[in-house]
Amino acid sequence: METANIFEIPNLRFLGRFHPQRAKEEGVLPLFWACSGLELRFTGSALEILLEADYGRKEPWIAVEINGAPVLRMPAGRGESSVLLFQGMTAGTVKHVRLWKETQPMGQDGDSRHRLGIRGLRWRGGAFLPLPEPPYRLELIGDSLTSGEGLVGAREEASWSSVLLSASQGWAKMAAGLLGAEFRLISQSGWGIRSGWDNTPHHALPDWYDPVCATASGEWNRRLGAQEPNDFTAWQPDAVVVNLGANDANAMGISAWHGPDGTRFKQEDTPACRRLIENAALAFLHKLRRRNPQASLVWAYGMTGDTLRPQLESAVERFREETGDQRAYYLALPAVTASTMGSRRHPGIPCHQEAAVLAASLLREIL
């Protein structure tokens, strides 16, 4: 079998944000965000992937598809390892392989050792063929709904565990699939527009948008460029879809956050606080437009309630009025029901499928 470093193999598509210079210097493709990964077309009979991983309490998981069908889902072991994707398949036939990181960055959940990278491939026979250019590129930004929390496991499961996250089965990836689009996820469970579900003001995702992946902590992630500014000119999406707001609404019913220096933060269900959330959503739309000047902007919301729908619709409308930019839209997503619930009291696959169809329908119309 032949073996080569990931950057020495032709015709591969690297999925997700990363820092090319740092990655090539280290000889490893870091998979920071959920659904970061690798896509290729290969004609040989066997293929292995060479991984590098580590973790404390939150192990990274991977998922693999061949010709659009899932064939593998597993945790990555600590250290360097070789994972057999397939063998004994017919030589000469094209295998369209996609590998995803299932789990979000876990640095902000207390696991600074959480990391995953691809060092290379090992294969038998065949060639790596060029991939067709995707018709669209999408960036999808969100919380646990975008990270795929609750899409694995029995409905009664409630543990905060990596095994219950499956971004590759989420609405964002499904919507991109319906359009044949290349996509990137930027998502953190429990985070929001102004704060996290527990009123932590440091968990406002818009504040973390500009670096490659600032939520990935630890020396390995830092060395691979996670904290460096993202090069937005290198990959421009045709649309950016934001699904944030659920945790801001949740925070209204949670006790205040108290910082180590005595500061206090609390989101309230008051007109004044709702206006602050609306203003923060508006500011994020302006930031997204500055970073992605040609993209359509969509704010999608409603899978776990629509408490903030008036404020988010207003933020979109104010953005259109202030800028004269009509490429901003609000999309109401279907609410989860008792029959479409997954684990961890999160929407399950049926609810994500409904959301994906609606999102893809709007994107198909506006792109």
Side-chain angles (χ1 to χ4, degrees):
M1 294 183 73
E2 298 181 66
T3 303
N5 179 268
I6 195 66
F7 296 110
E8 298 173 350
I9 302 169
N11 298 322
L12 305 184
R13 177 172 292 149
F14 304 140
L15 308 173
R17 282 188 185 181
F18 71 104
H19 192 287
Q21 180 183 350
R22 297 286 186 88
K24 290 175 182 177
E25 288 172 354
E26 297 289 332
V28 58
L29 173 68
L31 307 185
F32 293 130
W33 295 103
C35 275
S36 294
L38 178 66
E39 181 177 10
L40 58 89
R41 295 172 75 235
F42 175 60
T43 62
S45 62
L47 182 66
E48 297 180 20
I49 190 162
L50 308 180
L51 297 178
E52 177 181 335
D54 195 14
Y55 59 91
R57 294 172 293 123
K58 304 297 181 186
E59 74 280 1
W61 283 67
I62 62 170
V64 179
E65 296 177 355
I66 300 178
N67 296 330
V71 296
L72 177 68
R73 185 175 186 272
M74 61 173 285
R78 292 187 177 98
E80 295 186 15
S81 62
S82 175
V83 177
L84 179 66
L85 303 188
F86 62 83
Q87 64 178 349
M89 297 191 77
T90 304
T93 63
V94 177
K95 296 87 176 170
H96 186 179
V97 179
R98 293 193 294 177
L99 178 144
W100 317 101
K101 183 181 184 229
E102 286 274 76
T103 39
Q104 65 180 24
M106 291 294 185
Q108 298 303 305
D109 288 283
D111 193 346
S112 61
R113 289 170 55 190
H114 177 96
R115 60 183 176 88
L116 178 64
I118 302 175
R119 283 212 165 265
L121 297 176
R122 183 176 295 131
W123 67 93
R124 180 176 291 112
F128 294 90
L129 303 181
L131 286 155
E133 277 297 302
Y136 308 110
R137 288 185 170 88
L138 308 176
E139 184 176 71
L140 303 111
I141 302 167
D143 48 35
S144 59
L145 302 174
T146 305
S147 289
E149 184 175 342
L151 291 177
V152 173
R155 187 169 295 184
E156 62 270 19
E157 296 289 357
S159 302
W160 174 231
S161 171
S162 294
V163 70
L164 301 178
L165 277 75
S166 180
S168 73
Q169 300 185 71
W171 74 272
K173 188 255 189 180
M174 284 192 281
L178 291 171
L179 297 169
E182 180 187 351
F183 70 100
R184 293 181 172 184
L185 300 190
I186 309 292
S187 63
Q188 288 287 155
S189 293
W191 289 36
I193 307 166
R194 289 190 69 231
S195 79
W197 69 274
D198 57 356
N199 282 297
T200 303
H202 308 301
H203 291 173
L205 197 54
D207 296 339
W208 299 66
Y209 180 70
D210 284 347
V212 172
C213 183
T215 63
S217 60
E219 172 58 23
W220 188 91
N221 291 305
R222 185 201 62 77
R223 195 171 69 248
L224 268 293
Q227 312 298 323
E228 297 299 314
N230 184 57
D231 181 3
F232 288 95
T233 64
W235 193 92
Q236 277 284 299
D238 297 291
V240 178
V241 184
V242 183
N243 184 3
L244 289 173
N247 290 302
D248 297 86
N250 292 337
M252 293 174 177
I254 302 295
S255 58
W257 173 86
H258 294 276
D261 59 353
T263 57
R264 177 185 184 276
F265 189 91
K266 176 75 176 80
Q267 302 226 60
E268 306 282 0
D269 191 3
T270 63
C273 183
R274 283 172 171 263
R275 185 70 171 181
L276 291 174
I277 294 171
E278 179 181 324
N279 290 341
L282 174 62
F284 193 32
L285 289 169
H286 280 289
K287 176 185 282 190
L288 292 173
R289 171 55 72 233
R290 292 193 298 272
R291 305 295 184 262
N292 309 282
Q294 302 304 318
S296 294
L297 306 179
V298 179
W299 203 293
Y301 176 71
M303 293 173 72
T304 58
D306 62 354
T307 299
L308 295 175
R309 177 171 180 169
Q311 286 69 45
L312 298 177
E313 284 187 307
S314 178
V316 171
E317 184 57 35
R318 287 172 62 194
F319 174 81
R320 292 166 70 105
E321 292 174 353
E322 289 180 7
T323 63
D325 185 341
Q326 300 304 302
R327 295 170 299 154
Y329 308 85
Y330 178 85
L331 175 64
L333 295 177
V336 66
T337 66
S339 63
T340 61
M341 187 69 74
S343 65
R344 285 190 52 78
R345 295 184 293 177
H346 275 68
I349 289 176
C351 184
H352 280 253
Q353 290 172 331
E354 294 172 0
V357 169
L358 282 178
S361 178
L362 174 63
L363 290 169
R364 193 177 289 112
E365 178 183 334
I366 66 178
L367 293 178

